Amino acid sequence: MTDKPINAPTATLREAHGGGSATYVEQPNRLAGGLVDHGRALNFDFDGRVLQGHPGDTLASALLANGVRLVGRSFKYHRPRGIFTAGSEEPNALVELRRGAHQEPNTRATTVELFDGLEAGSQNYRGSLGFDLLAANDLFSSFLSAGFYYKTFMWPQAFWEKVYEPLIRNSAGLGRLSGEPDPDSYDKGFLHCDVLVIGAGPAGLSAALAAGRAGARVILADEDFRPGGRLNAETLEVDGMSGADWAERAVAELAAMDNVRLMTRTTVHGVFDHGIFGALERCTDHLPTSGGKPRQVLWRLYTKRAVLCAGATERPIAFGDNDRPGVMLAGAVRAYANRWAVTPGQRVAVFTNNDDGWRTAADLSARGVEVTAVVDPRNTQPRAEIPGAAIRMGDAVAGTRGRKGLKQIELASGGTIPADCLAVSGGWNPNVHLTCHQRGRPEWREDIAAFVPGKDLPVGLTVAGAANGSLSLAAALLDGETRAREAVESLGFKPAKHTPAKAEDEAVELTPFWHVKKGRARAWVDHQNDVTVKDVKLAHQEGFRAVEHLKRYTTLGMATDQGKTANVLGLAIMAECTGKSIPETGTTIFRPPYSPVPIGAFAGRSRGKDFRPFRLTPSHHWAEEQGAVFVETGAWLRAQWFPRPGETHWRQSVDREVEMTRGSVGICDVTTLGKVDIQGRDAAEFLNKVYINGFAKLAVGKTRYGLMLREDGMAMDDGTTARLGETHYVMTTTTANAGGVFRHLEFCRQCLWPDLDVHLISTTDGWAQYAVAGPNSRNLLRKIVDPEFDISNEAFPFMACAEITVCGGTPARLFRISFSGELAYEIAVPARYGDSMIRALMAAGEEFDVVPYGTEALGVMRIEKGHAAGNELTGQISAQNLGMGRMVSKKKDCIGNKLSERPEMNREDGLRMVGFRPVDRSRSLTAGAHFIPRGAVASMETDEGWMTSVAYSPELGHSIGLGFIKRGSERMGDIVRAVDLVGDSDIEVEIVSPHFVDPEGERLRV
Amino acid sequence: MSDLTLTPAPALGGYRERFEGVQLEELPNLAIVSIATPRGGEAEFAAAIEKAFGVAAPKPGHSSLSKDGRTRLVGMAPDQTFAVFTHDGPDARQVIDGALDGAGYTTDQTDVWVSLRIDGPRAHTALERICPIDLHPDAFPEGRAARTVMEHLGTIVLRDGADSFLLLSAHSSAESFLHAVETSIRNVT
Amino acid sequence: MIINHPLLGPRDAAEFVYLGDASLIDRPDWEDPDAAEKYYEYLYLRDNPAGLHRELWFHEQGDRSWLVVTRNTLTHEITNVELARDVAKAQGRSR
């Protein structure tokens, strides 16, 4: 039946979906019972066929119920593949889920919760899933064996470009991206608990109950949508009831506890330092649409203790053609029958080296499924009576038959047995993954032939149940309880008295058996990356024997499933080749994430405009009204210029703003400058120590420019500091360095001079501050400043400052400082008045034709005045370079003064900041150009410095620049070349004073 | 002098919104004044605080309500306390200066911050999406305060009721902060 | 990572900014006859221990305290956290 096309209904999914009560479609492999709601049908679409399942199904269980066995093609050889497992370890059944922009490739069908209207498709084929054109790769498999990718590099280049690259690019990759932006939203969050329990199987539920009953704050996280783990998949009983019923009771008890948070659909994917865990909660993946809510939440869990109850993953046995659809893990076959009421086949054979595999035969047989054979390589007594089944002890499965799905198994002893499903068990591997995230190495346990967590566990984490190698149900229940009790006791809680849950200690005996040597067909180890037994042997033969080499050479365990079903098997085969034991051969270390986490979840809300917050000045919305063009400076948005109607080029706007400011008056928002309130009896001494120039004698009511160095003598920041009172100063910093300067000042205060009475607090956001510049600035301000404050040149000279009131009593601060070189002020009001203030200033300035100017005009005017700014203060520039070497006081201690004395920083031919103008005034200068002597070849040897800032000066009518050049201050009038090899320009420039406009500073003082 | 007058505008225009199980509102009249303890003047400072507010200055991370219930003192750092109180007008610093009579260095912080109150049964759940601090009532009872970071933005969070939190974040990024809090609420309601 | 702040309790390392070796507290005397050499050593010469390391962290998104954190560079285990101001004073720094 499996290869026959299903009698697909002719209706489309939408018709079936939207058409009220859907017609019942036969599910040939559906059994009775289980944990699905047989009373409700869910329609879904797989590769264009409408099928039905039930609430409680996964996509995988629903596909199996409908007899769909071929669900995809393998990565490299495009071999037909079916469903292999029943959980997140699935290597084969990767599908594309949903449509359009919502399409998500590489989704494991075994973890997708079925919902009405679900649309899924198989992936990784060309043509049709049934007849994949790329399956030809399989014929050339001898060229694509282990290390083929590396070997291609050893061939002639033409081979790479013409043969290999197109071949690899065409066939590589699994599912397809939609190519559209992800329409879903994602979120993050932070949770705290005393005890985190990872996994809600028998050990996890038992642990959560013990911790919860003791009163600890507990988070119980499980990747499944239904808590219970293997309890839901087995027929074993707990406390005299079915495992699933016990799990349901345990969950109900936990849900009633205020101190317990039960998180289903949540995968704990990583362990980080100091008890921090990462977890991904899938909030709406099981719903047709997200309804506008975040699809997934990436949680950061802060825990005091954690109990890992992640269970175990079954591993296969390798034999010829063991990847044929219908070959599955035995525990998964049992889970489909018991939990999902689905038999993966009508005639099931079992191949197991352990007692657990026998339970698959027994459970299926009890459910009326025909079991055709149990093959067990152990030469012992059969573990159960399976009616009608051929019992082959001491035998093995050596091969399979069937085109796109299993029809027969071949026995090592010869002969075939019919089977459309083969349940394979090679034993169980404890899920030790999270114990390795901090370099913990698992240890080999001979009795279960598996790795268990080593002794070097992440701090605060213990392991319980199958994850710790306690493979029986009774052991898991007890283990979970014990570990949780220990955890809560260590935190000072008293465990509650209660009777622990009881279960039978079922048999779990096993004899290691890794792969069947008989048979010529390829035996698959890593199904997702198409790694065979032969590949592992080849790696050994070619010398890639260390386990990390094996992994990289063959790509074993490097697919999206991280080799959950493959790694130990691969290792065992390598151990066979080397003749060493498995622990001697090694183990691979697992890294986060445990299972794939979408990039969208890591991004969270940080997309588009929400990538980071914006800082806006109080005049921002006013500036928007004026049509300002904004520029990002750090997080701030600042007005760059204010275009007027008719202006088509930014230079027109900027030139006008400069001309109108220098001609009458302009206003610029300088709120973004950092402001630090500095108070204390020792504030002056403190300033004296952090600035190179003296501040001890600054009078109350005065402002001073200060330059701050780093300890290595390089300029850190500059700005003005005003003395508002005996013990009260206000420092300004550059916009970009506000945070860093504050941190530095706190370092000086707390770590270097801890007994100074000085206190710092940022007030950057508290004040809306405007530069009012130009010959009419005082006239404008007279209309704003309350009349009792005299701001005449005599009463309020250059560099004065005062706390005043404006507009009839609103408190303000006025500073007579100038960055533009004009008669200028900066006036600050509490931020709440900022919007009102800009409007008042503009209204008051109307009669003077006031102009708002942006950061570009600000930049032009500061270049015209030769003020250094961010372009010059690069962190590699000293006070000497800036021409401020003499400001470094030798009479006092200050940060950076000692190392400023180093000879290298005081070379006579050191760089000096000077001005430049083009010899041909019509030429434009470019920042970044290097200065080369006339007639010299432009090279590192002839390089004399570089241009840092350039602007067109409307006042001078030509391009001007600032830059650093050797001995610059002694070379006024020299002609050099400004060479810009990137921009391909080479022009002659004259070295001039950096003070292009009003060099005597007369305008400042009128 | 002209007839120009200045009108104060709250950072978020007096925002106020109800969601299912959460209310979020801007507190435009919340005054904040920082008080620094002078080195060597700790005893005088403590006495002045006691005299002015009837309570001791709280330790960092804690707060206490003045005897008259009007001012909440919040311990911000070893030598820094915030006085938070309802006050209309730009002279909050003078109010505290008057009360302390020079025993501490004061700085008006009112305009440095935007103040939001989030309250309701879902408030804690909403804050879980952006707040790294453990806000469980056992770990963060009423009166506790913390300065931390939410969605890249420095934020002070103070529990001022069983289901009520005061959030202070930078004035300049008020719109981004509001967006972050609103998104958190929408994501859980 | 979690830093157990001596005043505020455990806080996520995301709230902090790292500076470097706590020996940066030991700024030499500027009037020392060997000041040039001592400053050079102070600023540029560091130990790089595999094991316990005392280092400066700033609680930028917190109380703005500088902390001296003793961290094992091999395991990230943090064994001690002190206020840098207390450390500085204990080492004789004053004004």
Side-chain angles (χ1 to χ4, degrees), chain B residues 22 58 85 135 150 155 160 180:
Chain B
V22 189
F85 53 104
L135 299 180
M150 301 187 192
T155 305
D160 63 354

Side-chain angles (χ1 to χ4, degrees), chain A residues 81-94:
Chain A
R81 291 285 164 81
I83 292 157
F84 193 60
T85 73
S88 63
E89 68 272 29
E90 177 63 30
N92 275 354
L94 302 184

